[in-house]
């Protein structure tokens, strides 16, 4: 090994607000420190966190022992909060917070394994998804706090959808720039139709169907990115079924290439913020292999109707928008 060719690790960046930014990979992910999230964020710190988020796509905080109210206050520094989820309700005292336990993933895995052959297409993209794209206005940012974390396992992967688009050949980019895809809930989402009992807040529980551009323009940075979701994208409009599936398979492969990814190892009190406008994620990636408890709580910052490279704006085909908490 030629030691002279090794590149030094990028030095931590110290901002005017005392936020410290330490990149994890050259293309996605940064550890943030120098801020105590139990305290209200001042404008300069919030701006520096947002700038780091737009540069590194997902940011990680450690040792943030915060309450539910402090979690929500942190999220509101970046915009109004949504309800916990369009289908599943949040905590009774905190309707903005969606609590997930690893047992729920195991139940869904068992149900999927027991589906009769031929009842559903055998598509398996290892849990990769963008949050809540079956609504026409998916959330802007997602914020996840580790409440009960096992000593090992339960990692989350994130991938940079802007880099994935930029890695495509110009001819493929031109092909997909003017295409739209349908995103919708399925009978297998979050316990299926059995889970769709009336909500405490009176909101509808779906089904939800939306039409989105296949290539989205990031509303803050102006960059183009792949906007497709293995969990909810059913087909590309205007293509034959075999053409649609072949193109989606190609794009899913590109979107989840290892060189565009970062892997986060959770620890108790960790907090992750990702730009849901530019990132897909998968996790916990190994839930079927361990029996240890794992509980996380998520809030989401409200988003807008995505705009495509051809200026097409997303449309709700069925179901209401993902409106903010009143």
């Amino acid at each position: 090994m030629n030691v002279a060719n090794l590149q030094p690790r990028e030095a931590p960046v110290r901002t005017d607000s005392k936020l410290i930014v330490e990149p994890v990979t050259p293309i996605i992910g940064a550890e943030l420190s120098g801020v105590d999230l139990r305290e209200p964020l001042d404008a300069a710190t919030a701006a520096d966190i947002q700038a780091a988020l737009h540069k590194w796509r997902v940011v990680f905080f450690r040792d943030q022992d915060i309450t539910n109210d402090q979690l929500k206050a942190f999220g509101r520094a970046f915009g109004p909060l949504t309800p916990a989820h369009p289908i599943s309700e949040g905590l009774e005292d905190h309707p903005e917070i969606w609590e997930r336990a690893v047992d729920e993933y195991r139940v869904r895995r068992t149900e999927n394994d027991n589906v009769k052959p031929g009842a559903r297409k055998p598509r398996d993209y290892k849990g990769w998804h963008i949050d809540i794209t079956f609504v026409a206005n998916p959330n802007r940012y997602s914020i996840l706090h580790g409440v009960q974390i096992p000593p090992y396992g339960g990692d989350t992967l994130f991938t940079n959808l802007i880099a994935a688009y930029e890695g495509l050949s110009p001819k493929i980019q031109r092909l997909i720039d003017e295409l739209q895809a349908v995103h919708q809930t399925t009978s297998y989402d979050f316990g299926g139709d059995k889970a769709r009992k009336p909500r405490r807040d009176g909101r509808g529980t779906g089904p939800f169907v939306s039409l989105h551009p296949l290539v989205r323009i990031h509303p803050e940075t102006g960059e183009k990115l792949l906007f497709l979701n293995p969990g909810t994208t059913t087909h590309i409009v205007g293509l034959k079924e075999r053409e649609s599936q072949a193109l989606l398979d190609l794009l899913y492969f590109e979107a989840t290439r290892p060189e565009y990814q970062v892997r986060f190892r959770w620890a108790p009190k960790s907090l992750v913020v990702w730009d849901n406008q530019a990132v897909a994620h998968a996790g916990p990636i190994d839930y079927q292999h361990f029996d240890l408890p794992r509980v996380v709580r998520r809030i989401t910052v409200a988003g807008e109707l995505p705009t495509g490279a051809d200026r097409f704006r997303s449309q709700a085909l069925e179901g209401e928008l993902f409106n903010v908490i009143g």
Side-chain angles (χ1 to χ4, degrees):
M1 179 182 293
N2 186 351
V3 177
N5 290 333
L6 292 179
Q7 297 298 315
R9 180 181 174 88
E10 185 171 334
V13 176
R14 287 172 169 79
T15 66
D16 292 340
S17 66
K18 299 182 180 179
L19 183 75
I20 300 172
V21 181
E22 298 181 83
V24 178
T25 81
I27 202 166
I28 182 173
E31 295 262 5
L32 303 189
S33 58
V35 59
D36 184 349
L37 300 185
R38 294 174 298 182
E39 302 297 329
L41 287 182
D42 58 73
T45 302
D48 284 341
I49 292 172
Q50 191 170 42
L53 185 59
H54 289 163
K55 180 175 182 179
W56 297 107
R57 319 304 179 186
V58 56
V59 295
F60 312 117
F61 295 87
R62 299 290 190 181
D63 299 318
Q64 299 293 336
D65 189 10
I66 57 175
T67 65
N68 289 336
D69 286 330
Q70 290 165 340
L71 173 64
K72 293 190 297 183
F74 172 74
R76 289 192 180 103
F78 307 102
L81 302 183
T82 69
H85 194 277
I87 297 175
S88 301
E89 288 204 88
L91 300 178
E92 187 166 0
D93 295 336
H94 299 277
E96 305 91 341
I97 297 177
W98 196 32
E99 183 173 278
R100 303 304 307 280
V102 75
D103 291 342
E104 301 171 41
Y105 292 92
R106 294 196 195 101
V107 169
R108 290 175 65 190
R109 172 73 181 207
T110 300
E111 290 177 346
N112 290 344
D113 288 345
N114 290 334
V115 173
K116 293 181 180 179
R120 184 176 46 172
K121 292 181 180 179
R123 186 186 299 178
D124 182 7
Y125 298 109
K126 309 303 181 186
W128 285 103
H129 64 285
I130 307 169
D131 281 342
I132 316 175
T133 64
F134 48 78
V135 298
N137 58 331
N139 57 293
R140 186 182 187 192
Y141 305 136
S142 294
I143 303 169
L144 198 63
H145 188 227
V147 176
Q148 189 174 10
I149 301 299
Y152 54 83
D155 294 358
T156 303
L157 299 176
F158 300 88
T159 191
N160 185 335
L161 299 175
I162 293 171
Y165 175 84
E166 293 173 347
L168 296 170
S169 66
K171 287 188 177 181
I172 294 295
Q173 290 177 346
R174 289 194 293 272
L175 170 66
I176 65 177
D177 275 353
E178 297 184 359
L179 295 177
Q180 292 90 45
V182 172
H183 297 230
Q184 67 181 55
T185 53
T186 72
S187 61
Y188 297 95
D189 290 324
F190 311 104
D193 293 332
K194 297 178 297 184
R196 294 179 183 175
K197 58 186 179 182
R199 293 172 59 120
R200 294 187 299 268
D201 58 13
R203 295 173 184 266
T205 57
F208 296 91
V209 184
S210 295
L211 183 62
H212 290 300
L214 195 56
V215 176
R216 180 180 183 178
I217 301 297
H218 193 287
E220 280 92 20
T221 69
E223 298 164 293
K224 291 183 179 181
L225 61 109
L226 289 181
F227 193 62
L228 71 167
N229 193 340
T232 63
T233 303
T234 61
H235 64 283
I236 299 172
V237 174
L239 301 188
K240 296 178 180 179
E241 194 280 335
R242 63 181 182 275
E243 296 170 338
S244 172
Q245 192 58 60
L247 184 52
L248 287 174
D249 285 340
L250 168 68
L251 297 178
Y252 290 141
F253 173 82
E254 292 295 322
T256 58
R257 289 173 59 153
E259 58 264 45
Y260 303 144
Q261 296 179 24
V262 65
R263 179 169 181 156
F264 182 65
R265 182 176 182 183
W266 287 88
K269 305 173 187 176
S270 294
L271 184 138
V272 180
V273 186
W274 64 92
D275 185 350
N276 197 54
Q277 304 162 124
V279 165
H281 66 284
I285 58 174
D286 51 3
Y287 58 85
Q288 65 266 41
H289 296 297
F290 66 94
D291 295 320
L292 299 171
R294 180 185 185 273
V295 178
V296 294
R297 290 177 181 165
R298 191 194 74 182
I299 57 174
T300 47
V301 177
E304 59 185 44
L305 294 173
T307 300
D310 62 348
R311 313 314 299 174
F312 173 83
R313 295 199 77 189
S314 294
Q315 301 172 3
L317 303 181
E318 189 172 358
E320 60 192 18
L321 294 179
F322 196 27
N323 292 322
V324 302
I325 289 285

